[in-house]
Amino acid sequence: MTRQEKPACEWRSHPLAAIPVRRRLSLAAGAAALLLTPVSAQAAGTVAGTDIVNVAQATYDGPSGGSPVTIDSNIVTIKVDELLDVTVVSSDPGDIATSPALTGQATTYQVTNTGNGDEAFTLSADTAKPGDEFDTTFEQIILDSNGNGVYDPGVDTIYTPGTNDPVLAPDESINVFILSTIPASASDADRAEIELSAVASTGSGTPGDIFAGQGDGGGDAVVGSTGASDEDSGFFLIQAAEVTLVKSATIVDPFGGTEAVPGAVIRYQLVATTTGTGNLTNLAITDDIPADTTYDAESITLEGAALTDAPGDADAGAFDGSSIAVSLGTVPGGQTRTITFQVTID
Amino acid sequence: MFKRLFIAIALIAPGTAMAANNVSLSSDVFIERKVAKPNGTTAVVLEQPKTVIPGDNLVFVVKYKNVGSAPASDFSVTNPLPKAVAFNGTSDGTEIVSVDGGKTWGPLSALTYPRDNGDVRPALMTDVTHVKWKFSRALSAGSEGKLIFRGTVK
């Protein structure tokens, strides 16, 4: 270097404009640490295999005011490597209510390629996580082939590791279902954790690990910030309910006593008590009219209100000639329903 | 006719035909890598990469030298940004930039960028398509220097 030019810039107002090059370069080194903040890139960034080609140009006037001359610098080409990144997120908004002994119960996940190359991902399910109240029996992993986010039996594709590992483009997602069988032994309010893991097929590990030459587009594959592996969990919650029925009778005889003699009226009371966190759907209570008694017409009550005997009408009561029936519909756990009816001893 | 021929020669071989003020230009691209030092601190070193990954910080160095015998006036250096690189500033701030592919130029703070709805907003570093340094003085024979800007792999 013989001497330094002073390229005073056209923007003369800039305080650094007149500083000689050598001075400016030392400022450059000092400023380097302050300028490290990365520019936020797109989610996946530049596609793997892209060449970054840089050429600078200089323009100056030819001799004695001649035509401008433009020259190109050398060309620098850098290839963008494949970044291996993946995220797994449970798509279920909360615990999935289920009941003991059900099969084909689905938890839903979204697997997203957050890297910058086409990449296949190996999926695995863990239904035996510690720290929950029960484990389900793993059935299958299903790929949402029609992309509607809902498990469609017979439509969506059964996943077999190593055979149909989903290949995702940069930023592409796929919905994945894990099907479970709920054990019959599971109790009301028990929870089960179901985890889906996705691992980049090229490799995973510590961010920065390099798989030389294995990147999409011909470069290297580099493990990204996710470690090229991720997992998330969905949860099942058992919501069961049970009903217990208690029957009692009071007798009023024609003489004002409580003797079970012909002509005495027996008033039966049925108390249905539901327990548990779930619902009992279409709960119906029926009771046969005992032998040697005659049903007192229109005597059914529910919660103290009279019901009619006619079957199929708007109210819940019915008498078919041999037994009474009361349809209670869907009853949540933790409630009681009291039914009464009367018979007369023949 | 003679003049037209002269221009043609200049375009074909600008260096040899114009021995009087012959400028050479070279481009180097470095990547900043953080290296942990034994004493626990982190050092930033520059390497010349063959490959990069999104998020890598690059340092572009353009070296110029007037290797001829006469000054080069109206000297300017332009570096179009590769598509996959987001501009991240220069070290001295004396550059002008373009955010529209080289049509209009100015300091970044003076430029605007069109929004999708037709409005304009102040231009951001990530909008920059070209970086340029214009020298108000002629580049005298034998003088040289470096221009540096930074970018991030998108």
Side-chain angles (χ1 to χ4, degrees), chain A residues 188-226:
Chain A
D188 183 40
D190 280 358
R191 283 178 100 216
E193 179 177 1
I194 313 296
E195 183 184 84
L196 179 74
S197 301
V199 180
S201 297
T202 301
S204 61
T206 310
D209 285 358
I210 293 171
F211 298 95
Q214 294 182 48
D216 187 27
D220 296 341
V222 182
V223 174
S225 56
T226 61

Side-chain angles (χ1 to χ4, degrees), chain B residues 50-75:
Chain B
K50 283 204 175 64
T51 61
V52 293
I53 54 173
D56 276 345
N57 290 305
L58 304 178
V59 178
F60 294 78
V61 178
V62 181
K63 289 184 198 159
Y64 58 87
K65 182 172 187 178
N66 186 347
V67 294
S69 54
S73 58
D74 251 347
F75 183 64

Side-chain angles (χ1 to χ4, degrees), chain A residues 75-95:
Chain A
I75 298 172
V76 179
T77 303
I78 303 170
K79 192 181 280 295
V80 176
D81 281 336
E82 182 183 0
L83 206 50
L84 301 169
D85 268 320
V86 63
T87 60
V88 178
V89 178
S90 167
S91 306
D92 299 316
D95 289 358

Side-chain angles (χ1 to χ4, degrees), chain A residues 11, chain B residues 81 87 95-115 119-132:
Chain A
W11 261 258
Chain B
L81 276 153
F87 184 58
E95 81 286 0
I96 56 174
V97 297
S98 173
V99 296
D100 58 6
K103 289 193 205 86
T104 52
W105 297 88
L108 185 63
S109 58
L111 298 178
T112 58
Y113 191 83
R115 290 183 200 272
D119 294 349
V120 294
R121 58 164 171 77
L124 304 172
M125 286 219 270
T126 46
D127 302 326
V128 171
T129 60
H130 291 67
V131 193
K132 185 183 232 174

Side-chain angles (χ1 to χ4, degrees), chain A residues 1 3 5 7-9 11 14 16 24-25 28 36 39 46 54 57-61 71 74 76 79 81 116, chain B residues 21 23 26-27 32 50-52 73-79 91-92 94 96 107 126 135-136 138 140 144 154:
Chain A
M1 242 190 237
R3 65 196 173 93
E5 178 63 12
C9 183
W11 261 258
H14 196 284
L16 292 178
R24 280 169 40 187
L25 287 179
L36 280 175
V39 175
T46 303
N54 192 64
Q57 284 184 333
T59 306
Y60 53 95
D61 287 343
I71 57 166
N74 57 306
V76 179
K79 192 181 280 295
D81 281 336
N116 66 341
Chain B
N21 57 359
V23 176
S26 76
S27 169
E32 285 182 342
K50 283 204 175 64
T51 61
V52 293
S73 58
D74 251 347
F75 183 64
S76 69
V77 174
T78 307
N79 198 136
S91 46
D92 54 31
T94 60
I96 56 174
T126 46
F135 291 65
S136 58
S140 59
E144 62 186 326
K154 291 190 209 170

